[in-house]
Amino acid sequence: MSKNFLKSSIENASLNILLQIGFRCLTFVLNACVLRHVSQDEIGITNVRLLLLESTVLFLSREAFRRACLTATTQHDWPKVINLIWLSVPLCIGISGVCGYVWLNLLEQPNISLTLHYKFGVWSILISCVMELCSEQLYIVGQAFLFVRVQIALEIINITIRTIIYTTLVMSWSGQNAVLAFSFAQLASIFIYTLSFYAYFWYYLRNKNDNLPFNSMWDLFPKIFKKKWSECLDFRLVLLLWSFLKQGFMKQLLTDGERYVMTFFNTLKFNQQGVYDIINNLGSLAARFLFRPVETASYFYFSQLVHRDVPIKKQIEQDSNRIKEVVNVLECLLRVNSSIGLVVLSFGQAYAKLALYLYGGSALAVGIGPIILKMHCLSILFLAVNGIIECYAAATMNITELNQYNVEMVYLSVIFIFISFVLSSFFGGLGFILANCCNFAFRIIQCGRYIISQYKNTNYSPLKSLIPKKLFLMTLILSTILTLYSENIYFENDKVFHVLFGAILFFITVSIWLFEEISTLKFLSKVYHKKYN
């Protein structure tokens, strides 16, 4: 079973990475075209105001259910779990009602000269969120029973339809009514995504249902016919769900804190929000390409192999090989993620300006934009480390530890919002990046303390893998100096040479990392062979 979970996690992460790279490249090219036709004000409305609404509703409605219901899936009483998952739909409706009222009545409304379709955009987001939650039980079942390729295929469908519809409408309307185009694309993509999920499971259960504890599609809908609630719901999961729900609100504040500050306190105008979002999206490519898929797969893996309510020392005594594998995976992930973050930080200093020039034209490559993107490279390093440490902590903490963690998150959220407000008032978009760096640093310390205490008085110390090897670190420092010199001399007159020079240094840097990380490569090779054996 351990091998199956590891195989699924690796396959899930690798396919997700390939999906993200392939389709983010597509959206990158299409967005670069759209940016030249859509005003920065409308980008601020869609990419900050409306997408913040979507992330708020979806995160608060489903994240806790996913984390709770994907814990120890081999021990589930699935009829009770299905009942529990469907509670996310009324929760989503309630959260949508509250957020919809706030977005339509309490927040500053965009001027009618910017868009006529803001209200329709809000309603499209709310409807699409409820629609998506109606297939949440299928997503969780697919994750639990390792339907990796199906979920990847449906993500492809979702991204493709949304991107094509939005781009087509924007280009055909000559950049007018971008918010309306965004709303149509949102509704169409989520409708087809949800319908495709149901169609696949209907076909699978009709023709091949030996691997699932369900006989028909009706088993994937709630059945609350018992008189006692204890016969309808798994209260062990309910308690875990409640802990994650309390944590979810604080985590959402920490994740999208800068968007909440600029939305609720108007520290940036819509056009400034649009510029910040463009730069933030460009700077977050590594996070979306690599870190997020790896974190999703890692959480599932750790949650299956590490028991929440059993001390790690006792688990080592019971099955030392299993815990040794878990620690090796954790060390490998921390080593790889932190190395990627260091490379991004090193080369981002000299190529931030070029990236903005290629992505949005000369207008983005002047002013404070390059400085924000350079600082964003530092936040990527913090994000790379925090993602793995936090997902491991969330996957292995017991309920008492989760509740204590939630209390700490409350304090951290208040501090983060305050820092974001103060720094953005003085430094604009750059202040949000600085606040994010502080946010991730605090969270790394918080979860790092938990991991250190968990493995105290054992032979394992997984956080030591965060320390880079000497030759690799020296190469990064030298590459940063040389590429900055190249930018200063060649950027204006010979951009091709500047790119080639950086490519050579990048190749040297990666080669040195591979040379020094022989043990990491051997472990990855072992994992690869285990997957296919």
Side-chain angles (χ1 to χ4, degrees):
M1 184 59 68
S2 170
K3 292 181 180 180
N4 287 336
F5 287 134
L6 182 58
K7 171 185 174 181
S8 174
S9 299
I10 294 169
E11 187 176 17
N12 193 347
S14 58
L15 288 175
N16 256 298
I17 289 170
L18 292 176
L19 166 70
Q20 292 288 344
I21 292 175
F23 280 85
R24 292 299 176 181
C25 286
L26 170 64
T27 56
F28 180 87
V29 173
L30 293 176
N31 285 337
C33 297
V34 169
L35 284 176
R36 289 161 171 80
H37 295 84
V38 178
S39 69
Q40 294 176 352
D41 291 288
E42 287 192 295
I43 292 174
I45 294 169
T46 57
N47 291 14
V48 177
R49 179 70 67 87
L50 294 181
L51 287 184
L52 178 63
L53 174 61
E54 181 189 36
S55 66
T56 301
V57 173
L58 287 181
F59 193 93
L60 296 181
S61 302
R62 74 183 183 188
E63 185 68 15
F65 287 87
R66 288 186 176 183
R67 288 186 177 272
C69 296
L70 287 174
T71 298
T73 55
T74 56
Q75 304 171 18
H76 280 349
D77 182 350
W78 278 103
K80 292 182 179 180
V81 175
I82 295 297
N83 287 340
L84 181 62
I85 297 170
W86 271 99
L87 292 179
S88 64
V89 176
L91 177 63
C92 180
I93 294 173
I95 293 173
S96 296
V98 174
C99 291
Y101 178 81
V102 172
W103 257 251
L104 290 174
N105 296 283
L106 300 184
L107 295 182
E108 178 188 4
Q109 304 296 293
N111 192 290
I112 197 170
S113 63
L114 300 180
T115 177
L116 297 171
H117 309 290
Y118 173 71
K119 289 186 178 180
F120 180 72
V122 170
W123 279 107
S124 70
I125 292 292
L126 299 179
I127 293 171
S128 67
C129 288
V130 175
M131 195 187 307
E132 189 169 351
L133 263 293
C134 289
S135 64
E136 186 62 17
Q137 83 283 16
L138 304 179
Y139 175 90
I140 291 176
V141 169
Q143 277 282 94
F145 291 94
L146 315 181
F147 284 67
V148 176
R149 290 181 176 86
V150 177
Q151 293 175 336
I152 300 301
L154 293 177
E155 285 295 326
I156 290 174
I157 292 172
N158 186 15
I159 295 172
T160 303
I161 292 173
R162 180 179 304 188
T163 304
I164 290 175
I165 292 177
Y166 177 65
T167 307
T168 302
L169 291 177
V170 166
M171 300 298 283
S172 62
W173 292 342
S174 301
Q176 302 298 317
N177 301 323
V179 175
L180 185 62
F182 171 86
S183 305
F184 283 142
Q186 175 78 11
L187 289 170
S189 62
I190 295 301
F191 175 76
I192 295 175
Y193 169 82
T194 304
L195 191 64
S196 299
F197 237 136
Y198 275 96
Y200 176 81
F201 272 90
W202 173 81
Y203 176 81
Y204 185 88
L205 291 173
R206 185 181 180 186
N207 296 278
K208 183 183 177 182
N209 61 355
D210 295 338
N211 298 327
L212 297 179
F214 310 106
N215 296 318
S216 68
M217 286 297 295
W218 292 112
D219 293 334
L220 293 168
F221 287 89
K223 291 182 175 60
I224 308 180
F225 300 127
K226 307 291 184 180
K227 293 183 179 180
K228 297 181 180 179
W229 277 101
S230 59
E231 298 176 5
C232 299
L233 299 173
D234 185 338
F235 279 89
R236 176 183 61 87
L237 289 182
V238 171
L239 291 175
L240 189 59
L241 172 66
W242 177 240
S243 295
F244 281 126
L245 280 172
K246 291 185 292 184
Q247 183 188 117
F249 179 73
M250 296 302 136
K251 189 172 181 180
Q252 177 63 13
L253 278 179
L254 294 174
T255 302
D256 284 326
E258 73 275 13
R259 296 175 186 268
Y260 287 113
V261 170
M262 68 177 69
T263 297
F264 285 85
F265 298 106
N266 301 318
T267 55
L268 299 180
K269 297 179 181 178
F270 282 117
N271 63 328
Q272 294 173 320
Q273 292 180 23
V275 172
Y276 173 81
D277 184 75
I278 292 168
I279 296 172
N280 188 53
N281 284 336
L282 185 61
S284 302
L285 287 177
R288 291 196 297 268
F289 282 175
L290 300 174
F291 303 147
R292 191 174 298 168
V294 170
E295 289 165 20
T296 301
S298 300
Y299 177 83
F300 177 71
Y301 171 75
F302 291 135
S303 67
Q304 305 306 306
L305 296 190
V306 180
H307 305 308
R308 292 182 183 274
D309 299 318
V310 181
I312 203 71
K313 290 182 182 178
K314 190 172 182 180
Q315 294 188 56
I316 293 174
E317 295 172 1
Q318 295 171 346
D319 191 347
S320 60
N321 290 332
R322 173 170 56 85
I323 300 302
K324 182 179 179 181
E325 181 186 278
V326 168
V327 173
N328 286 337
V329 170
L330 178 58
E331 289 178 345
C332 181
L333 291 172
L334 289 174
R335 174 76 73 189
V336 173
N337 268 27
S338 60
S339 298
I340 293 172
L342 286 170
V343 171
V344 171
L345 175 61
S346 173
F347 286 87
Q349 303 310 303
Y351 291 93
K353 188 175 182 180
L354 180 63
L356 289 175
Y357 177 81
L358 295 175
Y359 189 49
S362 57
L364 278 179
V366 296
I368 199 173
I371 299 175
I372 293 177
L373 186 55
K374 289 178 182 181
M375 184 56 66
H376 200 289
C377 293
L378 176 61
S379 73
I380 289 175
L381 173 59
F382 285 111
L383 175 65
V385 176
N386 174 75
I388 297 300
I389 290 181
E390 196 168 63
C391 87
Y392 176 84
T396 59
M397 284 179 175
N398 59 39
I399 292 178
T400 302
E401 290 167 334
L402 281 172
N403 289 333
Q404 177 61 35
Y405 182 66
N406 292 338
V407 174
E408 294 173 354
M409 292 276 277
V410 171
Y411 296 123
L412 186 56
S413 299
V414 173
I415 294 171
F416 174 58
I417 295 298
F418 176 74
I419 292 175
S420 297
F421 176 74
V422 173
L423 292 180
S424 63
S425 298
F426 284 102
F427 303 108
L430 183 61
F432 286 121
I433 304 297
L434 294 172
N436 263 328
C437 291
C438 296
N439 166 31
F440 288 129
F442 291 148
R443 289 161 69 177
I444 289 170
I445 293 171
Q446 195 175 15
C447 295
R449 285 168 45 212
Y450 163 75
I451 295 176
I452 291 172
S453 65
Q454 187 185 37
Y455 287 97
K456 188 178 180 181
N457 298 325
T458 69
N459 295 325
Y460 302 115
S461 184
L463 296 187
K464 286 184 177 180
S465 61
L466 289 172
I467 302 174
K469 298 293 178 64
K470 292 182 180 179
L471 186 57
F472 173 62
L473 185 59
M474 292 174 59
T475 307
L476 284 174
I477 295 172
L478 183 61
S479 296
T480 304
I481 295 171
L482 292 177
T483 52
L484 284 172
Y485 176 79
S486 172
E487 180 188 35
N488 185 54
I489 300 298
Y490 298 107
F491 177 79
E492 296 297 337
N493 301 318
D494 197 347
K495 293 180 177 60
V496 174
F497 179 82
H498 179 51
V499 171
L500 292 175
F501 184 71
I504 293 171
L505 289 175
F506 178 79
F507 175 78
I508 294 172
T509 303
V510 172
S511 300
I512 289 174
W513 183 86
L514 293 174
F515 173 76
E516 286 194 309
E517 297 294 343
I518 295 296
S519 59
T520 302
L521 294 176
K522 287 181 178 179
F523 176 75
L524 291 174
S525 176
K526 179 181 176 182
V527 167
Y528 177 83
H529 288 297
K530 181 184 288 188
K531 171 186 171 182
Y532 286 103
N533 288 330

